[in-house]
Amino acid sequence: MSQARNISDVQRQKIEANRARVQERLRKKGNPGATADSTIVPNATPKDISASSTSSKRPFSQVLDQPSISLKSKFIEFEPDGSVKRNKTAEQIEKVEQNRLRAIEIQNRIRDQKEKGTQQQEQRNNNNNNNGGGGESTATAVDMDNIRLNKNKQDFIFDTAGKTNKYQPPPIKKKDYIEYDFATMQDSRGGFIHDEQRKLHDEETLQEWKEKQKELERIKNAPPPVDLETAPRCFECNSMDIDLNLYTNFRKVRACRACVRKMPEKYSLLVKTECKEDYLLTEPELQDISLLPRIEKPNPHGYSKMQLFLRFQVEEFAWKKWGSPEGLDLEWEKRESNKLKRKEKKYQDALREMRKKTRAEEYTRKLRDGKALDERHAHDWSAPLTIGKNLVKKRCIDCGVEVEEVII
């Protein structure tokens, strides 16, 4: 171990100066008789000084006497034991009181809601018990539909008896699982204005459909007529074996099956496309059942239903619309000629546009070369290239035209 060294003169002078400075500070504060705690011990080592300084563990309030002058402030207040206490303004006190009253009100509201929910649950259970258990199963089924079961949690147990659970899962929301609910979607007609109150011809209720089916079944299973004189007969052969499909769906058209097979030019069925192309009818006219009755069958070429019209009814409406069969032929020829004119006009417009582009490129090339637009082009031939015994080939440097000359 190294021997401890004595305090030097310079260190002793510094200690004396610090001691005098502390005494002067204490004297200014009002304690003229106070002295420094640390005393200078001759020939004392630094280890002894540190031991003597750490041996006393008194608080600062005991080392120094309390000042005779008490400090006062608007926000700070000194306690007798030396601690500091902050004073609150009247505005702060009022705000704290408001917050306390608001918290009490929230707690009372939550307690009332819990008591009300408990009473409703008890009343529901009593009603289920009085109904003999039938209502309980219904309530349980409804709860099962509206509750999302969380099976991942170990501490969750779903009680089917309707009792209060420890953890109540949130209700099921359709948008969590279903992005497009077709049951609630409505046709907006692409944003165009339409009358919602107007009932479309395709719309029919389930009851109307059932009544229609009953009527068809009654017609199909109808007994033979008692009075043969008043029984419906075929227009062509006066037969009683009429086709029920034409009779029920096309305004009581009376035609037997044999006549339908013999005269397809009159009783055959037409699709909508044939009515548009051959008889020049429009979509609104074909959609109006009051003008042209129709039947619908599954389409073998797509998902939409196939609409079938009776040929002679379509022809009667077309003759009435265009005046006569000759008027229909004239309208068809007129439309075909207009179609050819539109096609020719489109071709001429494209050709004219191509010529404009070509002429513009020629003008641009001449202007770039510094030549006038009406100046005749003069070929600037390159050196002739011999490609045969008496045959040479030359090329224009400006336009790229190549010519071959025979040297005699």
Side-chain angles (χ1 to χ4, degrees), residues 332-344:
W332 183 84
E333 293 176 359
K334 179 181 177 182
R335 293 191 181 187
E336 289 295 324
S337 62
N338 292 336
K339 189 185 300 183
L340 293 176
K341 289 180 182 179
R342 288 194 298 270
K343 187 181 294 185
E344 181 67 20

Side-chain angles (χ1 to χ4, degrees), residues 180-242:
Y180 299 103
D181 189 2
F182 293 100
T184 59
M185 293 180 66
Q186 297 181 356
D187 186 9
S188 60
R189 307 298 190 277
F192 293 95
I193 300 175
H194 64 283
D195 189 6
E196 292 288 350
Q197 304 298 331
R198 180 183 177 185
K199 183 178 179 181
L200 301 179
H201 58 270
D202 290 337
E203 295 180 356
E204 60 178 359
T205 61
L206 180 60
Q207 187 65 24
E208 293 175 354
W209 179 83
K210 289 182 179 180
E211 293 177 357
K212 185 177 180 181
Q213 296 300 320
K214 289 180 180 179
E215 182 67 20
L216 293 177
E217 191 68 22
R218 187 184 63 80
I219 293 174
K220 290 180 181 180
N221 300 331
V226 179
D227 189 3
L228 299 180
E229 298 295 333
T230 59
R233 295 178 180 272
C234 176
F235 287 117
E236 309 296 337
C237 62
N238 202 22
S239 173
M240 295 179 59
D241 187 17
I242 62 174

Side-chain angles (χ1 to χ4, degrees), residues 351-396:
L351 185 62
R352 192 181 302 108
E353 191 68 22
M354 183 184 66
R355 289 174 178 172
K356 286 181 180 180
K357 291 182 179 179
T358 306
R359 194 179 301 114
E361 291 177 358
E362 182 181 359
Y363 290 165
T364 304
R365 184 175 66 252
K366 288 184 177 181
L367 291 174
R368 183 173 60 248
D369 297 339
K371 299 178 181 179
L373 297 179
D374 56 349
E375 183 180 354
R376 188 185 182 96
H377 176 65
H379 295 291
D380 186 8
W381 302 108
S382 62
L385 179 63
T386 303
I387 59 175
K389 185 176 180 180
N390 295 326
L391 190 64
V392 295
K393 186 176 182 180
K394 295 188 299 183
R395 183 177 182 179
C396 180

Side-chain angles (χ1 to χ4, degrees), residues 35-83:
T35 58
D37 294 336
S38 59
T39 56
I40 303 302
V41 180
N43 300 328
T45 62
K47 183 177 181 181
D48 299 336
I49 295 174
S50 62
S52 62
S53 61
T54 57
S55 61
S56 178
K57 297 183 179 180
R58 295 180 298 169
F60 186 74
S61 60
Q62 295 180 4
V63 174
L64 299 178
D65 296 336
Q66 294 293 338
S68 58
I69 302 174
S70 60
L71 300 177
K72 295 182 179 180
S73 176
K74 182 179 180 181
F75 302 100
I76 300 176
E77 181 180 355
F78 293 95
E79 296 291 341
D81 57 352
S83 61

Side-chain angles (χ1 to χ4, degrees), residues 113-385:
Q113 291 178 358
K114 288 183 178 180
E115 293 178 355
K116 185 177 180 181
T118 304
Q119 293 177 0
Q120 292 179 356
Q121 185 67 25
E122 293 177 355
Q123 185 178 1
R124 192 180 301 111
N125 295 336
N126 295 333
N127 294 336
N128 294 335
N129 295 331
N130 295 333
N131 294 333
E136 182 178 357
S137 60
T138 305
T140 305
V142 173
D143 294 337
M144 288 291 291
D145 293 338
N146 297 331
I147 295 300
R148 184 192 294 116
L149 298 180
N150 193 347
K151 299 180 180 180
N152 297 328
K153 291 185 178 181
Q154 300 294 335
D155 53 354
F156 176 78
I157 300 176
F158 185 77
D159 187 7
T160 58
K163 298 181 181 179
T164 305
N165 300 320
K166 182 178 180 182
Y167 297 99
Q168 185 71 16
I172 289 178
K173 298 180 180 178
K174 285 187 177 181
K175 63 181 181 180
D176 295 344
Y177 306 96
I178 302 174
E179 185 174 3
Y180 299 103
D181 189 2
F182 293 100
T184 59
M185 293 180 66
Q186 297 181 356
D187 186 9
S188 60
R189 307 298 190 277
F192 293 95
I193 300 175
H194 64 283
D195 189 6
E196 292 288 350
Q197 304 298 331
R198 180 183 177 185
K199 183 178 179 181
L200 301 179
H201 58 270
D202 290 337
E203 295 180 356
E204 60 178 359
T205 61
L206 180 60
Q207 187 65 24
E208 293 175 354
W209 179 83
K210 289 182 179 180
E211 293 177 357
K212 185 177 180 181
Q213 296 300 320
K214 289 180 180 179
E215 182 67 20
L216 293 177
E217 191 68 22
R218 187 184 63 80
I219 293 174
K220 290 180 181 180
N221 300 331
V226 179
D227 189 3
L228 299 180
E229 298 295 333
T230 59
R233 295 178 180 272
C234 176
F235 287 117
E236 309 296 337
C237 62
N238 202 22
S239 173
M240 295 179 59
D241 187 17
I242 62 174
D243 191 349
L244 291 177
N245 182 24
L246 301 181
Y247 186 78
T248 55
N249 296 318
F250 293 97
R251 297 175 184 171
K252 298 183 179 182
V253 174
R254 291 177 290 176
C256 63
R257 294 179 177 85
C259 294
V260 170
R261 288 192 298 269
K262 289 179 183 179
M263 294 182 289
E265 70 279 359
K266 182 177 181 180
Y267 295 106
S268 60
L269 299 178
L270 301 177
V271 297
K272 185 190 292 185
T273 305
E274 292 176 340
C275 296
K276 289 182 178 179
E277 294 179 356
D278 298 343
Y279 297 95
L280 306 180
L281 301 182
T282 60
E283 181 69 24
E285 292 172 349
L286 296 174
Q287 289 293 334
D288 193 352
I289 298 179
S290 61
L291 297 178
L292 292 173
R294 66 174 185 267
I295 60 174
E296 294 182 353
K297 287 187 177 181
N299 193 344
H301 305 290
Y303 294 101
S304 59
K305 291 184 178 181
M306 182 171 56
Q307 299 180 3
L308 301 176
F309 302 85
L310 195 59
R311 180 181 290 273
F312 83 90
Q313 292 182 348
V314 174
E315 288 181 352
E316 288 179 358
F317 182 78
W319 306 157
K320 183 179 179 180
K321 179 179 180 181
W322 303 113
S324 63
E326 291 77 11
L328 176 62
D329 294 338
L330 292 176
E331 180 67 22
W332 183 84
E333 293 176 359
K334 179 181 177 182
R335 293 191 181 187
E336 289 295 324
S337 62
N338 292 336
K339 189 185 300 183
L340 293 176
K341 289 180 182 179
R342 288 194 298 270
K343 187 181 294 185
E344 181 67 20
K345 183 177 181 299
K346 185 178 181 181
Y347 172 75
Q348 293 296 336
D349 292 343
L351 185 62
R352 192 181 302 108
E353 191 68 22
M354 183 184 66
R355 289 174 178 172
K356 286 181 180 180
K357 291 182 179 179
T358 306
R359 194 179 301 114
E361 291 177 358
E362 182 181 359
Y363 290 165
T364 304
R365 184 175 66 252
K366 288 184 177 181
L367 291 174
R368 183 173 60 248
D369 297 339
K371 299 178 181 179
L373 297 179
D374 56 349
E375 183 180 354
R376 188 185 182 96
H377 176 65
H379 295 291
D380 186 8
W381 302 108
S382 62
L385 179 63

